[in-house]
Amino acid sequence: LQSMLTYKWDQYAKKEFLAEFLIFSIYMLLFIVFSIAIAFKTKSIEDEWKWIEDFTWVVIGPLILMNSIYAFQEFKQMIAEDIKHYFESIWNVLDVLLILGTYFSCFFNIMVEEDEMDNNYLLSFLAFNTLLFWIRLLSLTRGFRSIGTMVRMILEMIYDIRAFLVILLIAVMGFGHTFYLAQKDTDRDEDLTLQLTNLYKLAFTAFDTTDYQAVEWIFFFLATFFIII
């Protein structure tokens, strides 16, 4: 059976996979160039680098075209598999988010004037969509024999540590709230978001115990026990 699957892969499926991988790489490259051009466009740059802004309009047409092709393919797959079954796959959900994010980025750039552009929101959105592209690229590398085994192992490990992540989340939320209350009347009064961030960093042994009071040391030792150990 293994020999038969290997033969079919080498003769038929491998060529289709390589073609799909190449097309997606071009699609992703267009978005990367587009996002970098937007990053230059949303801040003041020297005149010698102004030409980079023109790349926004050079790549936006091909990018919308490629995005529309992928949207059409996903729509056909959605109809063929039924919507309910389609969204049971995390990769299908990722594809939909990626396509919608790319459309939003392109049309936002076209419709909004440069002086009205909200740099922080747009760049944050582009950063999130870029991450989706890289994750999708990682999923496609499963088709390579040398890389696929490692990628599948990582994905299975992430799936298997669900219970651990829930416990870690509860510990971070609980001790973050605890430290927030314990430091409320001190000179180091910090908001809840910063406390949660500090507790998350504690999981990677990155912490600052300067000026801790007795009660905070108690909470600190408890937190290290539950989060680090």
Side-chain angles (χ1 to χ4, degrees):
L1 179 60
Q2 182 64 37
S3 300
M4 183 181 299
L5 292 175
T6 302
Y7 174 78
K8 289 185 176 181
W9 168 258
D10 292 336
Q11 294 297 318
Y12 308 104
K14 186 176 181 179
K15 295 179 181 179
E16 294 183 6
F17 163 73
L18 291 176
E20 180 183 355
F21 186 84
L22 177 62
I23 293 173
F24 181 83
S25 298
I26 296 173
Y27 174 39
M28 180 176 173
L29 180 61
L30 287 172
F31 184 83
I32 290 175
V33 174
F34 171 75
S35 62
I36 293 175
I38 289 293
F40 275 93
K41 185 177 180 180
T42 53
K43 68 176 183 178
S44 299
I45 57 176
E46 299 178 2
D47 292 337
E48 60 180 318
W49 295 102
K50 288 289 185 181
W51 59 271
I52 297 180
E53 295 181 359
D54 297 334
F55 268 84
T56 305
W57 304 108
V58 172
V59 301
I60 196 169
L63 179 58
I64 293 176
L65 176 62
M66 292 286 292
N67 200 56
S68 299
I69 293 174
Y70 271 92
F72 180 69
Q73 290 180 342
E74 291 301 315
F75 179 75
K76 289 198 305 180
Q77 183 180 348
M78 189 183 304
I79 298 300
E81 296 182 6
D82 186 67
I83 295 180
K84 180 180 179 181
H85 295 294
Y86 174 85
F87 284 105
E88 289 178 353
S89 171
I90 186 62
W91 299 118
N92 290 338
V93 175
L94 184 69
D95 287 334
V96 171
L97 292 176
L98 191 150
I99 291 170
L100 293 178
T102 303
Y103 272 135
F104 176 83
S105 302
C106 293
F107 291 129
F108 187 88
N109 178 71
I110 293 174
M111 297 177 65
V112 178
E113 296 294 335
E114 184 174 348
D115 56 351
E116 297 177 356
M117 189 173 293
D118 192 325
N119 300 352
N120 293 331
Y121 286 113
L122 178 58
L123 292 178
S124 297
F125 191 86
L126 286 172
F128 177 76
N129 210 50
T130 299
L131 180 61
L132 295 182
F133 266 101
W134 285 104
I135 294 175
R136 196 66 182 95
L137 180 67
L138 181 64
S139 73
L140 287 176
T141 58
R142 292 176 298 171
F144 295 103
R145 187 172 302 175
S146 58
I147 304 176
T149 303
M150 182 65 67
V151 173
R152 283 191 292 272
M153 182 182 69
I154 294 174
L155 294 176
E156 289 177 3
M157 288 176 59
I158 294 174
Y159 182 80
D160 290 338
I161 62 173
R162 300 188 314 277
F164 168 77
L165 294 178
V166 171
I167 295 173
L168 178 62
L169 176 63
I170 293 174
V172 169
M173 296 291 290
F175 282 104
H177 187 199
T178 301
F179 275 97
Y180 171 74
L181 296 176
Q183 296 180 355
K184 195 60 181 172
D185 291 330
T186 66
D187 295 336
R188 292 172 293 103
D189 182 16
E190 298 174 341
D191 60 35
L192 182 59
T193 303
L194 184 57
Q195 289 292 354
L196 294 176
T197 303
N198 291 337
L199 264 295
Y200 176 76
K201 292 191 295 184
L202 179 62
F204 303 96
T205 66
F207 47 81
D208 182 12
T209 58
T210 306
D211 298 328
Y212 265 22
Q213 299 177 0
V215 66
E216 294 173 89
W217 276 108
I218 295 174
F219 294 141
F220 174 76
F221 284 122
L222 289 173
T224 54
F225 177 81
F226 281 99
I227 295 179
I228 295 180
I229 299 178

